[in-house]
Amino acid sequence: MLFSKGKIGNLELKNRFVMLPTVTNLAQDGFVSGREMEYYNRRSKDVSLVIVEASYVNKFGKFFVNQLGIDDDNKIDGLKKLSYLLQKNGAKTGIQLAMHNPKYKPVDFTKDKIEGFIEDFANAAVRSKKAGFDLVELHFAHGWFVNQFLSPNTNKRTDEYGGTFEGRAKFALEILRKVKEYVPDITVICRINASDFTSDGFNIEESIKLSKMLEENGADGLNISAGVGATAEYHISPMGLDDKPLLELIKRIKDNVNIPIIAANKLGYANDWEKILKDNVADFIGIARGLIGDPDCIAKLKEGNNEDIRYCIHCNQACLAYILKGLSVSCLMNPEVGRELEFQVKTDKSLNIAVIGGGPAGMSAAKYLAKKGHKVELFEKEDKLGGQLNVAKIPPHKEEIGKVIEYLERDLRKYNVNIHLNRKMTIEEIKDLPHDKVVIATGSVPVNINVNMDAFYWAIDVLAGKLPQGQDIMVIGGGLTGLETAEFLAQKGKNITILEAKDEVGDGIFPMIRKLIINRLKKLNVNIITKAKINHISDKKLSYNLDGVEKIQEFDDIVVATGNKPDATFKELIDDDKYLFIGDCKEVASAVEAIREGAELSLKL
């Protein structure tokens, strides 16, 4: 069914795949950019419908720094070029009309202001038609502006735009009706929440009622999502949540309307997509992050190359996290995102290049250097590739990290990289290498703490299988590795106490991930102590100061998770132009940065 034809309104669609709108931060002052054109060009050849990212209908409702705009007629020319490109690639074209300004609540606006916002949506729909789009999607989800009117815990108005459910739904329905009035011949769908997943918020019962009302008022289809800002894990679910978290709710909406339904959010694998259609849960499969990571995933499926699909690992580290930082969209697995043309260049002078280290940075560098046309050899001291990714995939809910190793290994074979395992190189051996360039990607090593201890375990060794024998375990360090190691041990029945010097644990962790892991640690009864300064450790007792008071904590074993520092084994080579240092041995960062830095090296050689 995935490749059977479908229909939304009067729009004939060649298959059941829809590219969902995801903010890219690739626009320039609200205008379509060249990078944005290439981003969509790379992803639009196999889907039946592309819904271009959330585009602000007025300046007041612009939320992201480089968000696309559709607030003025001067945006039409660029949008027309984009819609033409998508149609030339064989896709029908849609654009999501949106506004969001979290500084304000529904109660802050006069009736005249609200009527002006309704006009803004309708005028944006007119521009969409002039720009050649086949469809508009009205963004009524995710805690954005219209969703705030729908939700009882954010809409405290007492006039006709608040109070009862019908009052809270009035704003959305008037936008839909006005759009249909201004552009009667364009297909209109609405993106709505199946539930806000908040206390006293918009829920599935209200969503079913809204869905019926939207259908009655002319909506041609519904794109079902969930969650608001505080519960964003339900519309861009991380690896900590099971696959297909919304299907039961989507099915309930599907059973209550007669217009097509697009399913979204962590929908699993190709066989799951087919089953969603066969079970009549939805009519279309919406893909967002999957197309960011693998623009060719649908073509691979159609050609029977299912095993070659790079499924999203739902890390959210370079799509969602980058966007919220004001950066352009990227992907841990695919650093080419938004830079497609840069990575198409081939070398006119093939070099012999050695890469020392088979972690994420080294594997990425080897792949991209070989892809560009260089002859590459990779030397790894262990008996397998992946470096610390092999440890990162061990904690609970992190298994998907292992796919990154699989994908990179597959590419190394594809581009004929010569791989040497169990080759721990000395500095003399590296100096003797005959290669034109040598890439040093040896990663990082744990940072010791300035406290004398008779014996302890490194967190990285614990995750690799060296388990403490005792029952009461102290984990020193409350960063991501410390929290994950604590969860790992707690699930094995250990009694865990985390000791952290900072005011809170999880500093620097993406908020969505931090919230989920801390909630899981609470359920596992992990004891977390913050603002703790260690004094000394002896005789299975740890002394620390908390608010100026000495405390004593007894333990059986200690696990140290105080972070990493660059591996300095080959630092004497750093000033020689022949040797290029990348990844954690240069500066400790995330796997996203390591893989991106490895890829970017190919742009310089």
Side-chain angles (χ1 to χ4, degrees):
M1 288 185 69
L2 289 168
F3 292 99
S4 63
K5 292 182 179 179
K7 194 173 184 180
I8 300 179
N10 293 322
L11 214 54
E12 300 279 352
L13 300 175
K14 66 184 180 183
N15 60 41
R16 302 305 182 92
F17 291 105
V18 176
M19 180 177 171
L20 297 177
T22 56
V23 172
T24 64
N25 266 344
L26 291 171
Q28 293 179 342
D29 298 320
F31 292 86
V32 175
S33 68
R35 287 178 65 194
E36 198 161 20
M37 293 281 285
E38 288 304 322
Y39 170 87
Y40 282 104
N41 182 43
R42 185 72 181 82
R43 291 163 175 78
S44 56
K45 296 180 174 69
D46 304 303
V47 295
S48 64
L49 170 66
V50 175
I51 305 176
V52 171
E53 63 205 79
S55 304
Y56 56 88
V57 300
N58 51 38
K59 288 290 196 302
F60 176 80
K62 177 183 178 182
F63 181 54
F64 292 96
V65 60
N66 286 315
Q67 189 178 348
L68 191 62
I70 193 166
D71 59 314
D72 193 284
D73 287 354
N74 62 5
K75 307 286 197 318
I76 292 174
D77 284 348
L79 291 168
K80 185 181 292 184
K81 291 176 182 175
L82 178 56
S83 69
Y84 174 76
L85 173 69
L86 301 177
Q87 290 160 352
K88 185 179 177 183
N89 284 341
K92 297 297 183 183
T93 60
I95 187 167
Q96 188 184 70
L97 309 183
M99 62 179 294
H100 185 39
N101 194 321
K103 296 177 183 178
Y104 297 86
K105 298 297 179 188
V107 73
D108 295 327
F109 302 103
T110 64
K111 184 178 176 182
D112 286 345
K113 268 288 188 186
I114 293 172
E115 290 173 351
F117 296 145
I118 294 167
E119 285 287 323
D120 290 337
F121 273 94
N123 288 328
V126 171
R127 294 184 193 103
S128 303
K129 179 68 176 178
K130 289 180 179 178
F133 286 95
D134 304 299
L135 171 150
V136 294
E137 176 176 276
L138 305 177
H139 192 359
F140 296 165
H142 301 165
W144 284 42
F145 197 71
V146 181
N147 187 198
Q148 289 192 0
F149 275 78
L150 290 166
S151 299
N153 58 359
T154 52
N155 186 349
K156 303 301 182 183
R157 297 181 70 94
T158 56
D159 63 359
E160 68 264 44
Y161 288 102
T164 64
F165 170 76
E166 289 73 19
R168 288 183 278 115
K170 182 178 173 66
F171 184 37
L173 294 175
E174 288 188 349
I175 290 172
L176 173 60
R177 286 195 290 264
K178 186 67 72 171
V179 167
K180 298 289 288 187
E181 175 191 340
Y182 279 26
V183 199
D185 56 343
I186 199 168
T187 301
V188 182
I189 65 174
C190 302
R191 188 159 214 197
I192 64 170
N193 274 357
S195 173
D196 287 355
F197 286 100
T198 58
S199 176
D200 301 321
F202 185 76
N203 56 35
I204 182 59
E205 286 74 22
E206 291 195 336
S207 187
I208 291 169
K209 287 170 65 176
L210 177 66
S211 299
K212 292 177 178 179
M213 295 166 75
L214 292 170
E215 181 180 15
E216 291 167 1
N217 282 273
D220 296 301
L222 299 174
N223 185 357
I224 309 299
S225 190
V228 298
T231 56
E233 62 268 23
Y234 290 102
H235 62 256
I236 186 162
S237 292
M239 59 180 72
L241 261 63
D242 291 339
D243 284 353
K244 300 166 286 184
L246 304 181
L247 285 197
E248 290 184 13
L249 301 183
I250 293 171
K251 174 64 173 170
R252 289 186 62 184
I253 294 172
K254 170 72 174 167
D255 289 343
N256 280 278
V257 297
N258 298 303
I259 51 178
I261 298 294
I262 302 171
N265 188 36
K266 209 178 185 210
L267 296 177
Y269 300 89
N271 57 333
D272 297 305
W273 306 340
E274 182 76 16
K275 192 173 188 302
I276 288 167
L277 300 181
K278 286 185 175 178
D279 291 350
N280 201 32
V281 175
D283 302 282
F284 294 90
I285 300 299
I287 305 181
R289 289 173 289 177
L291 282 164
I292 295 173
D294 188 353
D296 302 315
C297 62
I298 297 167
K300 291 174 182 176
L301 180 62
K302 189 173 184 179
E303 293 163 5
N305 298 327
N306 298 30
E307 294 181 358
D308 198 36
I309 295 174
R310 297 187 196 182
Y311 289 99
C312 172
I313 66 166
H314 311 102
C315 67
N316 291 347
Q317 291 182 39
C319 49
L320 180 60
Y322 270 35
I323 293 301
L324 293 176
K325 291 177 184 176
L327 303 171
S328 59
V329 66
S330 189
C331 176
L332 183 149
M333 299 187 306
N334 183 12
E336 299 176 37
V337 177
R339 307 171 65 179
E340 283 75 15
L341 289 182
E342 292 181 60
F343 286 98
Q344 289 180 15
V345 177
K346 300 294 182 182
T347 185
D348 55 4
K349 182 183 178 183
S350 181
L351 301 175
N352 289 313
I353 301 175
V355 177
I356 314 299
M363 294 176 79
S364 177
K367 166 195 168 176
Y368 279 97
L369 288 166
K371 180 182 177 184
K372 191 172 182 179
H374 298 296
K375 297 174 184 177
V376 182
E377 288 190 85
L378 176 61
F379 299 84
E380 166 55 41
K381 66 180 180 179
E382 303 292 343
D383 61 358
K384 59 186 175 182
L385 297 174
Q388 292 192 27
L389 291 178
N390 288 303
V391 175
K393 69 181 183 181
I394 299 299
H397 310 287
K398 295 291 291 293
E399 298 86 357
E400 288 182 271
I401 288 288
K403 291 178 186 174
V404 180
I405 305 172
E406 295 173 19
Y407 299 150
L408 285 170
E409 279 194 275
R410 189 189 304 163
D411 284 337
L412 293 177
R413 292 192 298 269
K414 177 180 177 181
Y415 296 113
N416 299 312
V417 173
N418 190 5
I419 299 170
H420 306 276
L421 298 177
N422 296 304
R423 285 293 304 274
K424 185 173 183 178
M425 303 288 285
T426 66
I427 195 162
E428 290 77 17
E429 288 175 315
I430 290 177
K431 287 178 179 179
D432 288 340
L433 287 172
H435 299 71
D436 300 306
K437 294 286 184 181
V438 178
V439 178
I440 309 294
T442 51
S444 59
V445 295
V447 174
N448 211 337
I449 57 174
N450 296 319
V451 178
N452 290 325
M453 288 185 283
D454 295 331
F456 65 93
Y457 295 82
W458 291 115
I460 192 170
D461 293 331
V462 170
L463 294 173
K466 187 179 179 181
L467 297 181
Q469 298 303 304
Q471 183 62 26
D472 297 321
I473 312 296
M474 293 285 296
V475 175
I476 299 177
L480 180 60
T481 301
L483 298 183
E484 290 180 340
T485 306
E487 183 179 11
F488 174 73
L489 290 170
Q491 284 198 349
K492 294 186 178 299
K494 306 290 188 180
N495 302 322
I496 307 297
T497 296
I498 298 173
L499 206 65
E500 169 58 50
K502 295 181 180 179
D503 290 350
E504 59 181 16
V505 294
D507 184 41
I509 302 175
F510 186 59
M512 177 194 296
I513 306 301
R514 182 180 180 275
K515 178 180 79 170
L516 293 174
I517 193 170
I518 287 177
N519 286 342
R520 296 197 300 266
L521 291 173
K522 287 178 179 177
K523 290 179 181 178
L524 290 166
N525 296 314
V526 171
N527 182 28
I528 298 175
I529 301 171
T530 58
K531 304 179 184 177
K533 179 176 172 52
I534 298 175
N535 297 320
H536 55 82
I537 302 171
S538 61
D539 300 324
K540 301 292 184 179
K541 294 180 180 179
L542 184 150
S543 165
Y544 65 95
N545 281 347
L546 185 64
D547 296 326
V549 178
E550 184 184 21
K551 305 279 186 177
I552 302 294
Q553 183 84 30
E554 295 187 1
F555 63 88
D556 294 324
D557 290 300
I558 282 183
V559 175
V560 177
T562 48
N564 281 27
K565 62 182 179 181
D567 177 8
T569 304
F570 305 117
K571 65 179 181 180
E572 71 177 73
L573 304 174
I574 203 162
D575 293 324
D576 189 324
D577 290 344
K578 179 178 178 177
Y579 305 100
L580 307 165
F581 285 70
I582 63 169
D584 280 2
C585 69
K586 179 182 175 184
E587 183 178 355
V588 176
S590 70
V592 174
E593 277 73 37
I595 291 173
R596 189 185 67 228
E597 188 175 7
E600 288 176 340
L601 182 62
S602 71
L603 303 179
K604 303 170 186 175
L605 294 178

